[in-house]
Amino acid sequence: FKAAVTKNALPSAVSLQFLLLVSGFRTFVSLRRDKLLLVCVEQMPIGPTVFVPEAEKQKRRKTVMNPTVTPPLVSLQLIHVACVCAGHNASRDVVTLVKSVLFHRRNPLHFHFITDTVANRILSSLFRSWMVPSVQVSFYDADELKSEVSWIPNKHYSGIYGLMKLTLTKALPPDLNKVIVLDTDITFATDIAELWGIFRKFTDKQVIGLVENQSDWYLGNLWKNHKPWPALGRGFNTGVILLYLERLRRISWEQMWRLTAERELMSMLSTSLADQDIFNAFIKQNPVLVHQLPCFWNVQLSDHTRSEQCYTEVSDLKVIHWNSPKKLRVKNKHVEFFRNLYLTFLEYDGNLLRRELFGCPSQASPESIQLQGALEELDEDDQCYDFRRERLTVHRVHLEFLQYEYTPTEDDVTLVAQLSMDRLQMLEAICKHWEGPISLALYLSDAEAQQFLRYAQASEVLKNRKNVGYHIVYKEGQFYPVNLLRNVALKNANTPYTFLTDVDFLPMYGLYDYLSGRVGLCRTVLPCCSSAPRQRSRAAQAP
């Protein structure tokens, strides 16, 4: 809600702001001399308490109590963010990353995704249906870049995609000068514009901004005969990178990192930490080119980490990096705080991030203009107004929420259904009765989608089925969009034939084999059947 109070009531407004902050709301206060005080309030998601450093508290108090202090203006500069994303799991992770960035941002953003076919399909559909103002998205085919790095042996679990950040000067547009590069397992706790502003601190020679590695990996003392790639001191972590692309192209970055990799691979034989090893070997030879970022811009929650020495209060950190294979199960004395912050964005309602930026009007897309025109044509006095308005709602859609791998045959049949959270218990029984491919549209909130994920990953029946496509249609509005759900499930069935049913109906055992067999039989018999009427017609004319 918005509350406007007069200047004389300023103490009450300050009390209101404090009350809202401690009650789980974030407030934005605009003060002008002899004008109204506007307090805009947004409810915070259920999650961890947000601790504010004392210096920041003093700054806020001065701003609120002194109307002559004008809050600093927010630059409307477009911020570019790049990310390599491949597969179903990484596509889910990148959504949480994007939520944390969008939640804090005050600038327009342009996301650049280097993706495989799966991630491209999932993320392009999601962003197209998300329709977030002042956000642009571009996709680049990872298959076209594989030849650039496929010659490098890599032991890291990220595989070939863990090396693709080396190719960004070639992959991204040549007129793009600067970019922030992020891993998918990153969570932001502040405005990304603060990180973008560090580019201004680069010297004329610096081309890369990195945070020091917070483990002892590159010191080579983790175990006997441990031999890491060469690095400057403790080395640097590449989960968060500032790349000055214009300068990198000027120094022939592509040629330099290749020469570095070729030289080191003669003795190291393979990389252990993917692109990070090559970045560090390059920096070891060219230390003048790196700008060391403060450690709170990449608090690394990995095994043997020294991240706890990076901050005195958890409120000091800016970016959390879950760079351990253990992810949320990693050991850290503040891991509960970090986990709650991550879960807050994981379950945060993405519809709330569709808000316009304050003082930054975005250029409306053709789809938005068309939607706005359709809404304006509606008659609010129409008894069916709510239904007609609901029909125009654009729901966010996350295709293939879980891993889906299936190659259909010529006579294949997909079972198609739609459901909500209260019918989730039917899934195991349906999967036991129907062995073939299934396409399901699930109408869930962001929090319910995570409950479903935990349920599916814990189910012995569901977690072993890779031929079931789960397509999340996120909740919005007051009605159940049954036709939309059916259409989403139908559209994403990749077989020639579909068997449309309600989720309450349990197919008999063997129905998939029976239907696919009958389809094959009909396809074989139909050409003969098509000539039968003509034969009967001639027979009727015979004497």
Side-chain angles (χ1 to χ4, degrees):
F1 62 87
K2 294 181 180 179
V5 295
T6 63
K7 181 182 176 183
N8 294 333
L10 183 58
S12 299
V14 175
S15 301
L16 172 64
Q17 185 191 29
F18 175 76
L19 177 62
L20 291 168
L21 280 171
V22 298
S23 301
F25 292 80
R26 64 193 295 222
T27 59
F28 306 92
V29 182
S30 176
L31 291 165
R32 295 183 181 180
R33 181 182 292 274
D34 301 321
K35 296 291 181 68
L36 294 179
L37 167 68
L38 184 65
V39 183
C40 301
V41 182
E42 177 186 6
Q43 187 171 8
M44 289 282 283
I46 297 175
T49 304
V50 179
F51 297 95
V52 182
E54 189 60 33
E56 180 65 18
K57 290 180 182 178
Q58 295 291 342
K59 181 179 177 182
R60 292 182 185 180
R61 290 192 191 103
K62 291 178 181 178
T63 302
V64 173
M65 296 303 295
N66 185 3
T68 63
V69 177
T70 304
L73 295 177
V74 180
S75 171
L76 301 184
Q77 186 178 11
L78 179 64
I79 296 175
H80 294 270
V81 181
C83 188
V84 179
C85 181
H88 299 85
N89 295 340
S91 298
R92 287 199 310 271
D93 292 339
V94 85
V95 174
T96 307
L97 161 63
V98 169
K99 282 183 180 180
S100 70
V101 172
L102 293 178
F103 181 83
H104 297 100
R105 63 112 182 204
R106 292 177 291 173
N107 287 60
L109 300 172
H110 190 157
F111 289 100
H112 302 264
F113 293 110
I114 291 84
T115 60
D116 64 350
T117 304
V118 170
N120 189 321
R121 168 176 158 81
I122 294 172
L123 295 179
S124 60
S125 170
L126 178 64
F127 278 97
R128 186 167 55 249
S129 58
W130 203 343
M131 299 178 68
V132 183
S134 302
V135 170
Q136 304 173 48
V137 183
S138 298
F139 294 94
Y140 308 87
D141 189 356
D143 290 339
E144 297 180 0
L145 301 171
K146 285 183 177 180
S147 61
E148 301 291 325
V149 293
S150 59
W151 56 275
I152 304 175
N154 178 29
K155 295 180 180 179
H156 194 259
Y157 61 83
S158 59
I160 192 171
Y161 298 101
L163 297 164
M164 287 195 174
K165 284 183 283 188
L166 296 166
T167 70
L168 288 179
T169 53
K170 181 177 181 179
L172 298 179
D175 59 344
L176 183 57
N177 296 329
K178 295 178 290 187
V179 67
I180 297 174
V181 187
L182 303 173
D183 280 356
T184 58
D185 53 358
I186 290 289
T187 304
F188 266 78
T190 191
D191 190 348
I192 196 172
E194 296 180 36
L195 180 59
W196 183 264
I198 296 179
F199 274 116
R200 296 194 298 268
K201 299 182 179 180
F202 277 35
T203 66
D204 293 339
K205 293 184 178 181
Q206 291 174 338
V207 297
I208 302 175
L210 292 166
V211 171
E212 185 181 47
N213 199 46
Q214 292 164 11
S215 76
D216 293 339
W217 176 270
Y218 287 107
L219 298 181
N221 57 8
L222 292 184
W223 58 81
K224 187 178 180 180
N225 299 326
H226 175 217
K227 185 182 178 183
W229 276 56
L232 189 66
R234 308 191 71 88
F236 293 90
N237 184 277
T238 56
V240 177
I241 316 176
L242 299 186
L243 287 185
Y244 219 122
L245 297 173
E246 179 186 18
R247 297 178 182 177
L248 284 167
R249 296 186 184 106
R250 198 184 306 157
I251 64 171
S252 301
W253 160 253
E254 293 179 35
Q255 181 180 0
M256 293 181 73
W257 75 256
R258 280 177 175 273
L259 291 174
T260 300
E262 289 171 356
R263 182 181 63 250
E264 298 301 332
L265 284 171
M266 293 178 67
S267 58
M268 300 302 299
L269 303 181
S270 66
T271 61
S272 297
L273 300 181
D275 65 88
Q276 184 169 302
D277 285 337
I278 299 175
F279 270 104
N280 275 288
F282 171 79
I283 292 170
K284 174 79 170 180
Q285 297 295 323
N286 306 275
V288 71
L289 299 180
V290 67
H291 179 92
Q292 184 169 338
L293 304 177
C295 64
F296 49 67
W297 282 113
N298 185 354
V299 178
Q300 302 147 38
L301 301 182
S302 59
D303 294 334
H304 313 293
T305 183
R306 300 168 63 252
S307 60
E308 295 175 8
Q309 302 177 23
C310 177
Y311 55 89
T312 54
E313 297 287 341
V314 289
S315 57
D316 296 337
L317 59 87
K318 306 286 187 179
V319 172
I320 303 168
H321 186 187
W322 303 90
N323 60 323
S324 166
K326 298 178 182 178
K327 300 304 178 186
L328 299 186
R329 301 187 305 275
V330 72
K331 294 182 179 179
N332 182 286
K333 67 179 181 181
H334 295 122
V335 69
E336 194 64 28
F337 173 85
F338 298 139
R339 186 185 294 116
N340 286 339
L341 183 64
Y342 172 80
L343 294 176
T344 293
F345 293 116
L346 186 71
E347 301 183 354
Y348 189 76
D349 185 354
N351 297 323
L352 300 178
L353 299 170
R354 285 171 162 170
R355 61 177 182 264
E356 288 278 358
L357 293 179
F358 179 74
C360 181
S362 60
Q363 184 176 358
S365 64
E367 294 81 4
S368 299
I369 295 174
Q370 183 179 2
L371 177 61
Q372 186 61 34
L375 289 170
E376 291 174 354
E377 291 178 1
L378 295 180
D379 181 8
E380 295 187 16
D381 295 329
D382 185 356
Q383 292 183 346
C384 297
Y385 171 78
D386 291 337
F387 292 98
R388 300 189 196 281
R389 180 179 177 86
E390 193 80 8
R391 183 174 58 88
L392 298 174
T393 300
V394 179
H395 293 266
R396 284 179 298 135
V397 178
H398 188 134
L399 302 177
E400 298 177 11
F401 197 67
L402 295 177
Q403 188 172 358
Y404 179 78
E405 298 175 358
Y406 186 74
T407 303
T409 62
E410 191 176 11
D411 304 324
D412 226 337
V413 183
T414 296
L415 185 147
V416 175
Q418 44 75 33
L419 67 154
S420 55
M421 198 68 177
D422 59 346
R423 292 292 186 273
L424 208 57
Q425 73 277 4
M426 293 295 299
L427 292 185
E428 287 190 345
I430 291 175
C431 286
K432 288 179 180 178
H433 282 244
W434 183 275
E435 297 178 352
I438 303 174
S439 180
L440 298 171
L442 297 89
Y443 192 55
L444 306 173
S445 66
D446 292 74
E448 288 173 341
Q450 297 309 313
Q451 295 176 32
F452 160 71
L453 178 63
R454 292 190 290 270
Y455 168 75
Q457 292 176 336
S459 168
E460 292 296 329
V461 176
L462 301 184
K463 71 179 182 181
N464 294 320
R465 289 287 295 267
K466 306 302 181 185
N467 63 344
V468 180
Y470 301 99
H471 313 296
I472 307 297
V473 178
Y474 286 102
K475 284 184 176 181
E476 187 172 8
Q478 55 181 321
F479 301 113
Y480 186 81
V482 60
N483 290 328
L484 170 66
L485 294 170
R486 283 178 181 150
N487 289 338
V488 169
L490 277 169
K491 183 178 179 181
N492 291 283
N494 64 345
T495 57
Y497 304 93
T498 58
F499 176 55
L500 182 63
T501 181
D502 282 346
V503 74
D504 293 321
F505 291 0
L506 199 61
M508 69 178 188
Y509 284 109
L511 181 59
Y512 167 68
D513 292 332
Y514 174 79
L515 288 180
S516 56
R518 297 299 293 179
V519 165
L521 179 63
C522 290
R523 185 172 51 81
T524 305
V525 173
L526 275 177
C528 300
C529 296
S530 63
S531 61
R534 291 196 293 272
Q535 293 171 351
R536 286 196 300 270
S537 178
R538 293 193 204 99
Q541 294 174 2

